[in-house]
Amino acid sequence: MFKSGVGFLALFGLGWWSLATSAFDGPARPVAVVAGCAVTVGLMLAARRILPASAGGPFPADRRRRFHRINGLQWLLIVVIALVCARAGVPVLVPPLVAMVVGLHFLPLATAFEQPRLRVPAALLVAAGAAGLTVWLADGPDETVRLAVGLIAAFSLWGMALWTVMGAASAAGRDEGGESRGVTS
């Protein structure tokens, strides 16, 4: 299910979507949550169906160590952000700052996995954090901060998951048909 990272992208996208929908009141929120779950499940099922069995196999030891270091540092920074923001009385800043850290963690991952396209979600997640900080600095309500960060981050991760699946589908179409069908990855 987690072939080529699609499962992780889809699930973390759902987490950001849940943050965004926390800004909603009334019946809109459960509808939005169900829609987010449907997108997540759809992406995971598409990855299972379309990506080759070899996708997302075990990493060589050196890549695995690098991956663990990058993610360990990311989680350490997230914990520090949460603690500092809580102590400073500005928990609203946790999502924008976390989005920036998550975005920045994609940069070394792009190198470790030899996947330059991971720079795209890196830039978009940093932009999500910047959008949230901008809303906060403009004295926008906490709900708007969460909505801005959550929507941009969710669509960034889901978009990357879709890009991965569509790239594999396009490659499979070229392999089967002997030529490109006009879809690029």
Side-chain angles (χ1 to χ4, degrees), residues 58-157:
F59 301 131
D62 61 328
R63 280 191 186 181
R64 191 172 44 251
R65 276 191 301 274
R66 210 159 161 210
F67 171 78
H68 288 303
R69 281 189 214 128
I70 293 164
N71 278 308
L73 179 58
Q74 172 195 230
W75 286 106
L76 175 64
L77 290 172
I78 289 170
V79 168
V80 168
I81 287 168
L83 293 172
V84 169
C85 288
R87 286 198 89 130
V90 286
V92 67
L93 293 181
V94 171
L97 296 175
V98 167
M100 290 179 154
V101 167
V102 173
L104 291 172
H105 110 288
F106 276 106
L107 294 175
L109 288 181
T111 303
F113 294 142
E114 298 173 357
Q115 291 289 324
R117 66 190 190 143
L118 288 176
R119 294 178 188 138
V120 173
L124 293 172
L125 286 163
V126 169
L133 288 174
T134 301
V135 170
W136 181 74
L137 288 170
D139 290 326
D142 292 1
E143 294 81 13
T144 307
V145 172
R146 292 194 313 267
L147 182 64
V149 174
L151 283 179
I152 296 168
F155 287 134
S156 298
L157 295 178

Side-chain angles (χ1 to χ4, degrees), residues 163 166-167 170 174 180 182-185:
W163 187 10
M166 295 304 292
S170 176
R174 284 191 301 269
S180 176
V183 179
T184 59
S185 56

